[in-house]
Each structure stands twice: as structure tokens, then as C-alpha cells.
Amino acid sequence: MNTATLEGRVAIVTGGHGGIGRAIVARLLREGARVAVFDLAASKEKSHDSVLRIHCDVTVPADVEMALASVREALGPVQILINNAGLLGPVTPVLEITIETWRRVTEVNLTGTFVCCKAVAIDMVQAGYGRIVNIASVQAKEGTELAGAYAASKAGVIALTKTLGKELATSGILVNCITPTAVDGGMIDEIADQRRTYILNRIPMKRFCSVNEVAAMVAWLAGDECSFSTAGVFDLSGGRSSY
Ligand SMILES: NC(=O)c1ccc[n+]([C@@H]2O[C@H](COP(=O)([O-])OP(=O)(O)OC[C@H]3O[C@@H](n4cnc5c(N)ncnc54)[C@H](O)[C@@H]3O)[C@@H](O)[C@H]2O)c1
């Protein structure tokens, strides 16, 4: 069976150096896409594969424009954008979050998503085709104690997704987001065992999501089989999400 659903497509994965990002990159490559990674950590890694890795801060419009110009030159116009770069920030009550932390977390998670959507969607609008997938979190829907800035920023990602999806609904560009619960690998490795156990107990399937499960959903949302879903929010919660 031919599974190369993204043959000929050019995709950008922000935060593609991280745990989930790597799995998304691998999956998009497997589906036949040519992939560029925008990541603050990108220059630290020597590229051993066909991925174009660009050091880029997604919160800085000039950085994103420069990175995008490199992608256009090396790979051609972009059809797929996966906004995956993210920052958890310290696990702390809202009343103890510093303004610097609040700003940085919302800047990376929400403003970075906005900056990349704005830069990349221009080409997509001209071409009349595009797929944008934003990585939010189940915490955006629930609010989670000790992750106030993160949850609020991801709620903003959902609202941005719904708004942009509606605005571009007749343009050929579909904009969706996913709301995973805790995923094994990536930023969950930063948190203490006690908090991991607390999160695990809230998931009816009693396990964390895998990076490959995230990548599979992203790949579907990035392809042509996804054709009537836009401004949508897709759960990956092992039964945790109830709305
Ligand atoms: N791991 C989880 O449990 C989980 C659950 C739900 C959602 N998510 C979301 O999935 C995404 C990926 O998470 P992960 O677990 O792989 O995290 P990670 O920390 O392993 O990777 C995040 C990546 O984003 C990059 N990044 C951070 N700030 C950046 C910036 N300003 N510009 C460019 N790149 C930047 C980092 O260098 C890193 O490579 C995030 O948006 C996260 O919020 C993660």
C-alpha cells in the first residue's frame, strides 16, 4: 500500500528538535514530505538526514522571515506548517509566577504560533492551499494547577486556531490544533515523579500518549484526507478530555 500521502509537499516543523517534534519530522518524512525545522536548538545538531535545520526563534518575526526565505530557496513554497515549538515553564502556582516567566511562556507558545502562522500563511493564501497544525494541550481546556502560564497560552492557541481557521475557511487552507495529554518523551521529562503520577492518574487509559501517536494525528491533519475539518480541536487524551 502506498502510504506516501505527503509526496511533493514542503513542511515546516517548529521545535522539531524536541521529543514530539522529532517524531513529527520522522513521520512527515516517511509520508514523502520535504521538511524544514525551525528551532532554537537546531544549530547544535549536525544534520544527518534530509531535513533542513534552521536556528530560529519563533517569537522573532525577522528570524522567522529569514528562515522562511531559506526554506523557499532550498525546498520551494511551503504547504504545511506544524507549530510545535513550546515551553512549559516552572511548575508553580499562578501567584508565584514572575512576569518574566509569564511573558516568555506566552511569547513562545502563543506569540510564536501567531508569528509563524502569519509569515507562512501568506504563501499558502497565494497558492490557495495549505495545512496548519498547532500543538496545544489538554491543559488549555482544563486549566491545570501549577501550570497557569502554560495552560493560558495553550488556550490562546486554541482560540487562534479557531479564529484563523474560520477566516481562511474558503481559501483552501485548513487550520487545526491538537490537545494531547501528557506525552512520553519531550517536556514531561522535566517534571518531578510525583507530578507525573498525579497526571497519569487523571488519564482513564492509565498511560501517557506516545510521540508516535501525536505524529500520526498530525500527519493526517497535514494531508489531503483531512478536507472538511478546520478551526478544529482534536483530542489525544486517553479518555481524559470530556469536552
Ligand atoms: N510532552 C508533553 O507532555 C506535551 C503534552 C501536550 C502538548 N505538548 C506540546 O508539544 C510541543 C512539543 O513539546 P515537547 O514535549 O516535544 O517539548 P520539548 O521541550 O522536547 O521540545 C520543544 C522544542 O521547542 C524548541 N523551542 C522552544 N522555544 C523556542 C523558540 N522560541 N523558537 C524555536 N524553538 C523553540 C526547543 O528548543 C525544543 O526543541 C509543545 O508545544 C508542547 O507544549 C507537549
Side-chain angles (χ1 to χ4, degrees):
M1 193 174 70
N2 179 15
T3 56
T5 56
L6 303 178
E7 201 68 58
R9 302 277 190 244
V10 173
I12 293 171
V13 180
T14 73
H17 189 83
I20 294 174
R22 283 171 192 268
I24 293 172
V25 169
R27 179 67 192 244
L28 298 187
L29 287 173
R30 193 145 58 83
E31 299 289 344
R34 284 167 295 156
V35 181
V37 163
F38 292 2
D39 198 306
L40 274 178
S43 64
K44 288 182 194 151
E45 185 180 65
K46 263 192 152 180
S47 187
H48 297 295
D49 49 27
S50 54
V51 176
L52 180 61
R53 297 182 188 276
I54 303 174
H55 182 272
C56 170
D57 185 336
V58 295
T59 70
V60 180
D63 249 33
V64 171
E65 287 297 346
M66 270 172 55
L68 184 56
S70 304
V71 178
R72 286 193 194 110
E73 198 180 313
L75 305 178
V78 177
Q79 292 86 29
I80 297 167
L81 169 65
I82 315 297
N83 281 304
N84 166 76
L87 189 64
L88 179 61
V91 177
T92 186
V94 169
L95 300 189
E96 292 172 21
I97 298 174
T98 64
I99 188 67
E100 293 78 16
T101 293
W102 178 272
R103 287 198 171 123
R104 189 59 189 162
V105 171
T106 51
E107 184 97 344
V108 174
N109 295 344
L110 179 54
T111 307
T113 299
F114 159 71
V115 168
C116 291
C117 284
K118 191 171 174 195
V120 177
I122 288 170
D123 284 2
M124 293 178 175
V125 168
Q126 269 185 1
Y129 181 90
R131 295 286 183 274
I132 297 176
V133 185
N134 298 325
I135 313 299
S137 164
V138 70
Q139 298 190 35
K141 292 176 150 192
E142 293 182 359
T144 305
E145 53 273 52
L146 309 183
Y150 182 80
S153 66
K154 292 294 187 178
V157 171
I158 291 180
L160 175 63
T161 302
K162 290 182 174 182
T163 305
L164 189 60
K166 287 180 169 72
E167 287 176 359
L168 298 179
T170 57
S171 70
I173 302 160
L174 308 185
V175 188
N176 290 292
C177 69
I178 65 169
T179 53
T181 186
V183 181
D184 246 334
M187 57 177 56
I188 198 171
D189 295 344
E190 295 167 29
I191 64 176
D193 284 350
Q194 198 183 358
R195 178 128 171 117
R196 279 176 71 94
T197 306
Y198 166 75
I199 294 170
L200 190 59
N201 285 335
R202 296 174 69 176
I203 303 171
M205 280 193 183
K206 297 295 174 212
R207 68 170 177 84
F208 295 129
C209 185
S210 78
V211 291
N212 291 333
E213 287 168 327
V214 176
M217 184 174 273
V218 168
W220 184 78
L221 289 167
D224 285 348
E225 283 194 347
C226 174
S227 54
F228 198 57
S229 298
T230 196
V233 183
F234 291 77
D235 287 331
L236 270 171
S237 78
R240 176 172 160 183
S241 281
S242 49
Y243 75 98

